[in-house]
Amino acid sequence: MAIGNKIKEERLKSNLTQEELSKILNVSRTAVSNWEVGRNYPDLDTLVEISNYFDISLDKLIKEDTEVVKDARKKTKLRKFFKWTTIILLLIIVSYIGMNYKLRSDEQRYRTNLVENHWQLVKTDLYTDDNAYILRDGQYEYWTYILPVGIIGVPLEEMKVSIITHRNNREQVVDVRDNCTEVIINPSDESNSYSVIVDNDLKVIEKDISSSMKKEAEQYIIKNQKELKETIEATKGKLKQITGKK
């Protein structure tokens, strides 16, 4: 191995024993001996120290020793890989911690606002986990559920606050969240109820319903337009109280 010969040559030029060189480089005497007889070779950091100590260029030290060059390049690539992998992992961890902290802060704020605005926990056989809340205010009955962040701590659609409002003892029902409003339709033939998404002008924008259902929903909305707008506005006001958004 050419590099071993060069190390030995430079060591002898400097009148150093293997023991003395090993102490300078902070390695064992056996390591120096192995380099010189070609059993193995120094790592990249040690090569740099040898180059500096004997005042010869690193290129000259490893010239013609293709095995060392290949190994040095391989280690350099691995170091870059591990460096960027570590940076990416750290960014993911920091992002997760920040996201989790915000979600937990939001959840705590929602629960505090609910209590301060006199919402009551729902205690039934169905809801026993202290996450469902109800508020009765005149002709309105508001209901919401706060999904706990839990150990996963990633944002889910279900974590967005949604309020279901019943007006006049379930005669009229809407489901309102910050980016969507749904009106619940109870068919006249007493078949299963369904919901439709509406815009701010109460125009039906639901796409996944039959034409007959859409027509029925539009007729219901036209008939109850004034009351529906009042219910939706009242619900949006309660939603702002919970989330703290203006």
Side-chain angles (χ1 to χ4, degrees):
M1 190 177 287
I3 191 172
N5 293 332
K6 290 178 182 177
I7 292 174
K8 182 177 182 179
E9 180 183 337
E10 294 299 326
R11 176 177 66 79
L12 293 175
K13 282 182 182 179
S14 300
N15 296 318
L16 294 173
T17 65
Q18 290 183 343
E19 183 71 27
E20 290 170 334
L21 181 59
S22 69
K23 290 180 180 179
I24 292 170
L25 299 176
N26 197 27
V27 297
S28 67
R29 188 202 62 78
T30 304
V32 175
S33 175
N34 287 337
W35 300 339
E36 293 185 354
V37 297
R39 289 195 185 94
N40 54 39
Y41 47 86
D43 59 29
L44 188 58
D45 289 337
T46 306
L47 282 172
V48 172
E49 288 189 40
I50 294 171
S51 170
N52 290 335
Y53 181 78
F54 290 124
D55 195 24
I56 59 175
S57 68
L58 188 61
D59 180 66
K60 183 178 179 181
L61 184 64
I62 64 176
K63 189 176 182 180
E64 297 178 0
D65 202 324
T66 56
E67 188 176 353
V68 174
V69 174
K70 287 180 180 178
D71 185 70
R73 288 175 179 172
K74 181 179 178 181
K75 288 182 177 179
T76 300
K77 289 181 180 179
L78 283 174
R79 286 183 179 180
K80 288 182 178 179
F81 172 77
F82 286 120
K83 174 185 175 182
W84 284 108
T85 301
T86 301
I87 290 173
I88 291 171
L89 286 174
L90 285 174
L91 287 173
I92 292 173
I93 292 171
V94 170
S95 297
Y96 172 81
I97 292 173
M99 178 176 57
N100 188 273
Y101 176 79
K102 183 181 184 305
L103 289 173
R104 291 181 184 278
S105 297
D106 288 345
E107 180 189 344
Q108 185 57 50
R109 184 175 76 254
Y110 299 157
R111 293 182 185 275
T112 299
N113 290 340
L114 283 164
V115 173
E116 290 180 351
N117 287 283
H118 311 296
W119 288 67
Q120 302 296 318
L121 283 169
V122 178
K123 293 292 186 179
T124 65
D125 293 338
L126 182 61
Y127 299 108
T128 59
D129 52 5
D130 292 341
N131 295 316
Y133 295 81
I134 192 170
L135 175 68
R136 294 181 177 85
D137 186 3
Q139 60 187 324
Y140 298 115
E141 180 180 279
Y142 305 97
W143 181 93
T144 191
Y145 186 90
I146 304 299
L147 185 67
V149 174
I151 59 173
I152 298 178
V154 295
L156 302 173
E157 184 66 26
E158 294 83 353
M159 288 179 177
K160 295 180 179 179
V161 180
S162 170
I163 298 179
I164 296 176
T165 303
H166 302 128
R167 179 172 179 170
N168 294 332
N169 196 25
R170 298 179 181 270
E171 179 182 316
Q172 188 179 102
V173 184
V174 298
D175 183 355
V176 177
R177 61 201 71 188
D178 60 355
N179 61 348
C180 178
T181 299
E182 296 183 32
V183 176
I184 314 301
I185 307 299
N186 294 300
S188 55
D189 61 3
E190 297 184 355
S191 57
N192 292 333
S193 62
Y194 59 94
S195 65
V196 292
I197 300 174
V198 298
D199 61 17
N200 292 332
D201 296 320
L202 295 184
K203 181 180 178 181
V204 177
I205 57 177
E206 180 67 61
K207 298 179 181 179
D208 299 325
I209 58 174
S210 65
S211 56
S212 60
M213 293 171 69
K214 183 176 181 181
K215 183 177 180 180
E216 181 181 41
E218 290 173 338
Q219 290 175 344
Y220 172 82
I221 291 171
I222 291 172
K223 180 180 178 180
N224 300 279
Q225 187 172 26
K226 181 176 180 297
E227 292 80 5
L228 280 170
K229 284 187 175 181
E230 292 174 351
T231 303
I232 291 170
E233 286 304 310
T235 307
K236 287 182 176 179
K238 298 301 181 185
L239 188 63
K240 289 178 182 179
Q241 285 182 348
I242 299 172
T243 62
K245 295 181 180 178
K246 297 182 180 179

